[in-house]
Amino acid sequence: MLLRIFIEPQQGASYDDQLAVARKTEECGFDAFFRSDHFLAMMGGDGLPGPTDSWITLAGLARETSRIKLGTLVSSATFRNPGVLAISVAQVDQMSGGRVELGLGAGWYDAEHAAYGIDFPDTPGRFDRLTEQLELITGLWTTPAGEKYNFDGKHYQLTDSPALPKPQQDPHPPIIVGGAGKKRTPALAAQYAAEFNAGFKTAEDTKVLFDRVQEACRAIGRDPQTLALSTAHTVVVGKDDAQVKARAAAINRNPDDLRTTAIIGTPAEVVDRLGQYAEAGSDRQYVQILDLTDLDHLDLIASEVLPHVS
């Protein structure tokens, strides 16, 4: 199982805070650094110094790291024009030497849309936009150089686009689609994604979601083995119970509550929990770190957990 560090900078993190975590991620031997794509703090807190744009941040990190993969879990289809997003992601992919992955979803947090004047269609409308964006972005990236790309959708229209720039990765950066939707989400993952993510679920519920997306692959004639399966959870690891409690307190969480929704405990306990998700089919885990000042936390996970699961 690959371990990928995943942060929520909208809770309060500067670019320098994120850079420190990304550098530690690379130093410790983790596979990737991913960040959420949100503009408003959740779960309390003032969010100071304020939100940072995910793709501007990843562009900076692309030049200040050398090995780790970089991506979003996930960008919202409501936030950006898909043609502009295709340009941004392709450029960051070039800047990183081909290390970018694009997580793309329909969007869900209506409060941040209201806070920054972003349109928030109803659920079917958001999924309609996501569907068009997945086709449009991959179409731009895979159009041969020198040819034009046209798209005539309900929400987006492109006329004689030169479909530039091209990302470094061929045919394009991996796309990640996730969620618990019963029909449209697995169908979109089967058609467009390199990876399907089932976040913040029990191992049993995760297995249901994995089975559903693999059946969607078979329905269109895709080999399910070509779709990577991943999970994401808040992770709190301590060398002993006292350190576990201290780290939970640092993120204002009750350890007992975390045991039902997160992966928490000593290294041995965390390895065991990750094994349950591996048995459900996960081959990569997004390790959500909420206290970005505690870099020793990453050192502990790297030394006491990573060797037992990778």
Side-chain angles (χ1 to χ4, degrees):
M1 177 182 283
L2 299 174
L3 295 190
R4 299 180 149 190
I5 300 304
F6 168 45
I7 68 169
E8 301 275 357
Q10 77 277 354
Q11 295 304 111
S14 67
Y15 172 77
D16 286 340
D17 295 329
Q18 296 172 72
L19 173 60
V21 177
R23 284 176 167 164
K24 177 61 73 170
T25 297
E26 188 156 86
E27 173 191 322
C28 286
F30 294 107
D31 177 65
F33 171 92
F34 273 64
R35 54 157 290 165
S36 61
D37 192 357
H38 285 294
F39 296 124
L40 200 65
M42 309 169 198
M43 302 175 287
D46 54 24
L48 291 173
T52 51
D53 181 84
S54 62
W55 288 102
I56 291 176
T57 298
L58 293 172
L61 298 180
R63 307 303 285 182
E64 300 195 71
T65 59
S66 61
R67 179 191 59 79
I68 51 174
K69 297 178 180 67
L70 302 165
T72 52
L73 200 69
V74 295
S75 291
S76 172
T78 58
F79 287 169
R80 301 171 183 88
N81 173 281
V84 175
L85 179 60
I87 292 170
S88 297
V89 177
Q91 183 177 359
V92 179
D93 194 49
Q94 293 173 357
M95 293 169 69
S96 69
R99 293 183 286 124
V100 158
E101 302 187 5
L102 170 62
L104 191 61
W108 62 272
Y109 191 29
D110 56 348
E112 67 187 337
H113 293 74
Y116 287 96
I118 303 169
D119 289 341
F120 188 71
D122 60 17
T123 299
R126 297 198 307 278
F127 269 91
D128 289 345
R129 286 165 174 79
L130 173 61
T131 300
E132 289 192 16
Q133 289 197 14
L134 287 166
E135 180 180 349
L136 188 158
I137 291 169
T138 55
L140 285 169
W141 285 342
T142 56
T143 296
E147 296 185 11
K148 302 291 187 181
Y149 178 73
N150 293 277
F151 184 86
D152 186 18
K154 178 180 177 181
H155 301 286
Y156 309 103
Q157 297 81 39
L158 278 67
T159 303
D160 292 337
S161 172
L164 296 172
K166 300 301 184 191
Q168 179 160 326
Q169 295 179 78
D170 184 24
H172 57 71
I175 291 175
I176 302 165
V177 171
K182 293 183 178 180
K183 294 183 178 180
R184 297 187 74 173
T185 298
L188 289 173
Q191 185 171 359
Y192 294 106
E195 174 184 330
F196 173 77
N197 179 261
F200 308 98
K201 303 293 183 183
T202 65
E204 294 76 15
D205 289 343
T206 296
K207 182 65 164 58
V208 171
L209 296 179
F210 286 170
D211 289 345
R212 188 178 293 154
V213 75
Q214 289 181 322
E215 180 56 36
C217 286
R218 285 188 284 268
I220 62 170
R222 177 178 178 179
D223 180 358
Q225 297 303 311
T226 64
L227 180 68
L229 302 173
S230 64
T231 43
H233 295 87
T234 304
V235 175
V236 177
V237 188
K239 62 184 179 181
D240 52 34
D241 288 343
Q243 192 173 70
V244 170
K245 291 179 180 178
R247 286 202 161 112
I251 59 173
N252 298 312
R253 299 291 186 87
N254 182 299
D256 292 334
D257 293 340
L258 283 172
R259 292 186 189 281
T260 64
T261 60
I263 295 177
I264 179 173
T266 62
E269 291 173 320
V270 168
V271 168
D272 181 66
R273 286 291 307 282
L274 290 174
Q276 295 173 23
Y277 287 97
E279 289 179 4
S282 176
D283 53 34
R284 55 196 69 180
Q285 169 71 40
Y286 290 85
V287 176
Q288 187 193 60
I289 299 294
L290 295 179
D291 183 357
L292 304 190
T293 67
D294 185 6
L295 298 182
D296 289 342
H297 194 189
L298 274 68
D299 283 322
L300 178 62
I301 297 170
S303 62
E304 300 296 332
V305 176
L306 181 60
H308 299 286
V309 300
S310 62

